[in-house]
Amino acid sequence: MKSPITVRESKSEDIETLVQFNIALASETESKHLDPERVTSGVKSLFKKPEFGFYLVAETENRVVGSLMITYEWSDWRNGLFWWIQSVYVLPGYRRRGVYSAMHKFIRKLAEEHPDACGIRLYVENENRAAQNTYHQLGMKETYYKMFEAEL
């Protein structure tokens, strides 16, 4: 990639791209087919509720090539907010070219400057070794927690 990667907080003009990326992510990683109308509503809702989080996008070659979402989790043990990295997507032709690393470094700097932030967390599929290696290289450590959920 000859053009530099720039990272910025997303704007309302990015909504359609964020929706497309989320639909592609679900299809590629979990073979899930999401309802575009529902995803659009979900993305728009986060823009209306910044207390829940925000999106970032990465651009190069005059196009958005990656995105991620940050949501917050209050930790009473640390009296601070964990920033959860979620919905990470990079267009296939731009993977393994530093797009995620640029977004991660941007988030880390933002979190370090935020007075309530106490850490950054994310979850990753057990089999996704490439992503796990990237997270290790960026200074993240595997925790001893397993994740459980009950969908409503």
Side-chain angles (χ1 to χ4, degrees):
M1 205 168 356
K2 297 180 184 192
S3 298
I5 300 165
T6 58
V7 179
R8 62 172 172 79
E9 289 191 43
S10 63
K11 302 179 267 193
S12 58
E13 296 82 29
D14 299 312
I15 288 173
E16 184 55 39
T17 300
L18 294 167
V19 169
Q20 291 171 6
F21 284 8
N22 276 307
I23 290 171
L25 174 65
S27 178
E28 289 177 28
T29 60
E30 300 181 31
S31 298
K32 285 188 178 180
H33 300 285
L34 301 180
D35 173 24
E37 195 172 300
R38 186 173 207 164
V39 176
T40 300
S41 179
V43 170
K44 286 180 176 179
S45 289
L46 191 61
F47 277 88
K48 294 175 188 169
K49 299 176 184 176
E51 66 274 18
F52 289 176
F54 61 94
Y55 292 97
L56 287 184
V57 295
E59 297 176 309
T60 191
E61 300 172 357
N62 296 314
R63 69 186 294 203
V64 174
V65 298
S67 66
L68 61 75
M69 177 177 69
I70 295 294
T71 59
Y72 307 115
E73 173 195 5
W74 180 254
S75 172
D76 53 352
W77 290 8
R78 293 170 183 86
N79 191 30
L81 291 169
F82 275 102
W83 287 25
W84 276 87
I85 298 172
Q86 300 183 62
S87 301
V88 175
Y89 189 76
V90 176
L91 287 171
Y94 293 88
R95 293 177 186 164
R96 311 303 307 159
R97 296 171 143 194
V99 174
Y100 174 76
S101 294
M103 291 190 293
H104 183 93
K105 290 173 186 172
F106 187 93
I107 281 299
R108 184 164 186 130
K109 185 176 185 313
L110 272 183
E112 287 171 349
E113 294 170 354
H114 195 283
D116 290 333
C118 65
I120 299 170
R121 287 183 168 167
L122 55 78
Y123 53 88
V124 61
E125 292 179 3
N126 289 320
E127 298 80 31
N128 193 342
R129 299 287 178 220
Q132 292 173 36
N133 288 337
T134 297
Y135 304 144
H136 281 293
Q137 290 169 0
L138 291 168
M140 297 189 85
K141 297 177 182 149
E142 187 174 350
T143 68
Y144 51 85
Y145 296 109
K146 285 195 180 275
M147 199 157 177
F148 292 79
E149 75 177 3
E151 288 194 33
L152 304 176

